[in-house]
Amino acid sequence: MRLEFLGAAHTVTGSCYLLETGDERYLIDCGMFQGPKRIRELNHEPFSFGPSDVAGVLLTHAHIDHCGLIPKLVHDGFKGMVYTTKATCDLVGIMLPDSAHIQKSDAEMLNRKGRRSGEEPVQALYTINDAMDALKHLSAVPYNAEIKLSDNLRVIFRDAGHILGSAILELYVTEGNKQTKLVFSGDLGQPDQPILKDPSVISGADFVVVESTYGDRIHQIYDKETTLLEVIDDTMDRGGNLIIPSFAVGRTQTLLYYFYHLWKSGRLDGDIPIVLDSPLAINATRIFLKNSMDFDDEALTLFSKSGKIPHFPQVHICETAEESRALNSSEGSAIILSASGMADAGRILHHLKHNLWRPESTVLFVGYQAAGSLGRRLVDGIKRVRILGEEVAVKAQIQMLDGFSAHADANQIMDWLSTIRAPRPAKIFIVHGEGQAQEALKGRIQKELGTEVYIPFRGDMVRITGRASSIIPSHIPAVSIEMEMEEILRDFDADYRQIRRKVLQLVVRQPKTMEPVIKAMMKARNYLKKLFAPFNI
């Protein structure tokens, strides 16, 4: 058999792997690339295989970086079924149409700009009709049941504990008289998190493909409810809004869960409005409540009696764009949860535009921010950003709370891998992470587990026979760090020009008092030295 790595290879997004066994081809995930422009452009490249030759897709979960290119796959000729859990089917049913609307909106905006400069029209990646056609290919499968896809391929979906419906895939491939077990982690969740069950323990595997989003980091262990309450109280005392860019699926529901506990215990002021301003998150929350069979015991106790969110008086839902716009002209302070989680699209952009310049407001990130995303730039301390065509000064408090992530950290990934013992993997492939995280995780696996590790590039292929494997290197140009650095340097250049202009204005006003300017420049030089210190430059 052959396994080809077509996405999430030396990047965090675009999850996609092509498995060839005998005359059959199956995709594991078919996700969209997200982040810097150069990486997003990969979505428009033709598939490196014939979509009509693919017998089926095995989908780990409903996040767009795992399912977002399925409409394109269907449009280009895919005829098979997309096998996934029931909850994932339900979530994909809202995620893909929403993604199609974003593709259409983005294309229309680019074409308005392009017409003025004489550029060729841009086509949307796919249409709403493509998304609706893709939904016809979904086939729901239960957790822990063996599904026979062909005479030589069986699959079991195990709970990954990442978001509702997320799955670890156990694939059993029979070739001749040899059977090989492949395990795809999908995105692993953290143990002991609200609502969801812990990631399933896998008894053994010949080969494992594992994510590494937090492969170099350990989530802080702290009282999340108390810390969240402190951020709320501090922002409300300053008279600002608390803006939370929140992933519509998973993170929003977890935050609502924490808010409910804080209010129920009398710690959260019942007069503070909590506004859910994301049609996708609203629909996703309703789907969560329809799939309570996948909840952990604590969440079942809380939700199952009525199948509805418990009575929670200060939660307000913005269904329409008009209601969303009205939030930015209303008086008083509020907590506003809005998508997207990396602040790259959606209604959150309007809330950031109206609040980033306000020192009294807070922008709180509670999840992973990919390199090149607006969220990542804000967390990294950028002072001016361009949002919806307007330059905005960043004066609001920017905070990041670790530990709310739906991804397992390095220790939790290692704990999960260490339970795979009968047999132990012959090789582990590390995907879905940035370079530093992948290298750190590779080092730990080799040292602590003694297992051979490979970090594939996009287009790399591995030939597998039983427990033996050989790597066929890719001829596809890698998505290099230079692409991400271009995005960073553009932001740096914009900041530099702003600083230079302000320094010149100071010098013009006070030409004889250069000493404070020189001191400030020396301080800036020290900042740069600290930036490059880890590289011994």
Side-chain angles (χ1 to χ4, degrees):
M1 86 184 83
R2 296 193 304 180
L3 178 64
E4 188 173 2
F5 298 88
L6 300 176
H10 280 266
T11 60
V12 177
T13 60
S15 178
C16 187
Y17 319 102
L18 178 65
L19 178 67
E20 297 186 46
T21 171
D23 295 329
E24 295 177 327
R25 289 179 162 190
Y26 285 86
L27 284 182
I28 293 88
D29 288 345
C30 189
M32 186 179 292
F33 290 95
Q34 298 170 312
K37 182 181 178 182
R38 291 284 189 88
I39 292 180
R40 297 197 307 271
E41 287 173 348
L42 297 175
N43 294 317
H44 293 272
E45 290 187 1
F47 290 111
S48 62
F49 53 86
S52 60
D53 297 332
V54 175
V57 177
L58 308 176
L59 178 60
T60 60
H61 65 284
H63 278 152
I64 286 297
D65 63 324
H66 290 256
C67 72
L69 289 189
I70 293 176
K72 179 183 175 183
L73 186 75
V74 171
H75 179 271
D76 289 357
F78 173 69
K79 304 296 182 186
M81 300 305 294
V82 178
Y83 301 95
T84 191
T85 64
K86 176 188 176 298
T88 299
C89 285
D90 291 346
L91 289 169
V92 168
I94 61 173
M95 297 288 281
L96 292 184
D98 181 77
S99 176
H101 283 299
I102 291 173
Q103 308 309 314
K104 178 183 177 183
S105 175
D106 287 350
E108 288 174 348
M109 180 184 67
L110 289 172
N111 286 331
R112 283 195 299 270
K113 294 181 179 179
R115 279 195 296 270
R116 293 192 290 269
S117 56
E119 296 178 6
E120 291 294 318
V122 174
Q123 296 296 320
L125 187 58
Y126 49 80
T127 67
I128 185 65
N129 288 336
D130 294 329
M132 299 309 293
D133 286 343
L135 300 183
K136 300 173 185 176
H137 292 256
L138 294 175
S139 177
V141 300
Y143 279 125
N144 305 319
E146 184 175 285
I147 309 299
K148 185 176 181 180
L149 298 174
S150 68
D151 290 339
N152 62 343
L153 182 61
R154 297 171 289 128
V155 62
I156 301 174
F157 286 71
R158 306 288 191 189
D159 198 332
H162 172 62
I163 63 168
L164 188 74
S166 60
I168 300 163
L169 303 183
E170 292 184 277
L171 273 66
Y172 296 86
V173 182
T174 303
E175 293 184 320
N177 60 353
K178 293 183 178 179
Q179 178 174 278
T180 303
K181 181 179 178 180
L182 307 176
V183 171
F184 293 81
S185 73
D187 285 356
L188 285 176
Q190 292 194 65
D192 303 319
Q193 294 302 296
I195 304 176
L196 301 177
K197 298 175 183 176
D198 291 352
S200 299
V201 174
I202 305 300
S203 60
D206 296 305
F207 297 91
V208 176
V209 179
V210 65
E211 70 124 317
S212 58
T213 309
Y214 284 91
D216 61 340
R217 278 169 279 183
I218 308 301
H219 295 316
Q220 297 177 22
I221 299 174
Y222 59 96
D223 184 343
K224 295 185 182 69
E225 286 188 5
T226 297
T227 305
L228 184 60
L229 182 62
E230 289 172 352
V231 176
I232 294 170
D233 288 344
D234 178 61
T235 307
M236 298 302 114
D237 288 345
R238 297 198 315 271
N241 291 317
L242 175 57
I243 309 298
I244 307 179
S246 182
F247 297 98
V249 178
R251 201 63 38 79
T252 294
Q253 292 75 35
T254 300
L255 286 167
L256 288 173
Y257 189 94
Y258 280 126
F259 288 143
Y260 175 76
H261 270 274
L262 287 168
W263 170 75
K264 191 71 174 176
S265 63
R267 301 171 69 194
L268 178 62
D269 186 345
D271 293 329
I272 300 172
I274 300 172
V275 183
L276 183 54
D277 184 27
S278 166
L280 185 62
I282 294 164
N283 288 329
T285 303
R286 291 168 178 156
I287 288 172
F288 262 67
L289 296 171
K290 284 170 51 182
N291 287 275
S292 59
M293 73 290 292
D294 293 337
F295 291 179
D296 63 14
D297 292 339
E298 185 180 359
L300 277 173
T301 301
L302 187 63
F303 292 116
S304 63
K305 293 180 180 178
S306 63
K308 298 179 181 179
I309 297 176
H311 180 62
F312 196 4
Q314 68 256 55
V315 172
H316 305 275
I317 292 175
C318 280
E319 296 275 8
T320 67
E322 289 75 18
E323 290 172 323
S324 177
R325 284 193 291 269
L327 292 174
N328 291 312
S329 58
S330 61
E331 296 182 359
S333 300
I335 302 168
I336 301 175
L337 287 79
S338 188
S340 68
M342 296 186 195
D344 269 342
R347 294 182 181 180
I348 189 65
L349 293 176
H350 295 276
H351 298 307
L352 291 175
K353 178 180 175 180
H354 287 276
N355 284 275
L356 275 175
W357 57 270
R358 301 178 62 200
E360 63 270 26
S361 290
T362 301
V363 179
L364 175 65
F365 291 95
V366 289
Y368 182 79
Q369 303 300 308
S373 66
L374 176 57
R376 179 67 162 266
R377 286 180 284 153
L378 289 169
V379 169
D380 286 345
I382 191 170
K383 298 304 180 186
R384 299 186 75 86
V385 293
R386 182 166 288 276
I387 301 177
L388 301 173
E390 184 176 325
E391 195 170 83
V392 181
V394 180
K395 295 184 179 179
Q397 286 197 18
I398 308 297
Q399 296 202 35
M400 176 83 178
L401 291 186
D402 291 326
F404 280 83
S405 174
H407 288 271
D409 68 14
N411 284 348
Q412 292 160 346
I413 294 171
M414 291 300 300
D415 288 344
W416 181 77
L417 287 171
S418 67
T419 63
I420 305 176
R421 297 176 178 171
R424 289 189 179 277
K427 185 175 288 185
I428 293 173
F429 300 94
I430 297 179
V431 296
H432 206 291
E434 295 177 11
Q436 183 176 335
Q438 293 182 319
E439 289 295 340
L441 185 61
K442 176 181 178 179
R444 287 194 62 177
I445 292 172
Q446 291 175 328
K447 181 179 179 180
E448 298 175 29
L449 302 181
T451 305
E452 188 176 343
V453 178
Y454 184 73
I455 304 174
F457 287 91
R458 190 169 67 98
D460 279 0
M461 187 181 296
V462 56
R463 194 185 302 275
I464 296 172
T465 304
R467 284 176 60 84
S469 64
S470 58
I471 304 296
I472 305 171
S474 168
H475 296 293
I476 300 174
V479 178
S480 68
I481 194 170
E482 284 81 4
M483 295 182 182
E484 296 182 13
M485 282 303 300
E486 284 184 16
E487 299 281 335
I488 295 170
L489 289 173
R490 271 197 288 272
D491 294 334
F492 184 87
D493 184 58
D495 282 350
Y496 164 78
R497 284 185 275 112
Q498 290 288 336
I499 293 168
R500 184 175 181 274
R501 188 180 74 245
K502 290 180 179 179
V503 169
L504 289 174
Q505 289 171 349
L506 284 173
V507 172
V508 169
R509 290 207 314 263
Q510 300 287 343
K512 295 182 180 180
T513 55
M514 287 293 293
E515 187 176 348
V517 173
I518 292 170
K519 284 184 178 179
M521 293 299 100
M522 293 294 290
K523 192 174 184 180
R525 188 179 72 170
N526 289 334
Y527 285 147
L528 287 173
K529 286 174 69 175
K530 287 180 182 178
L531 174 65
F532 290 104
F535 308 103
N536 295 318
I537 295 176

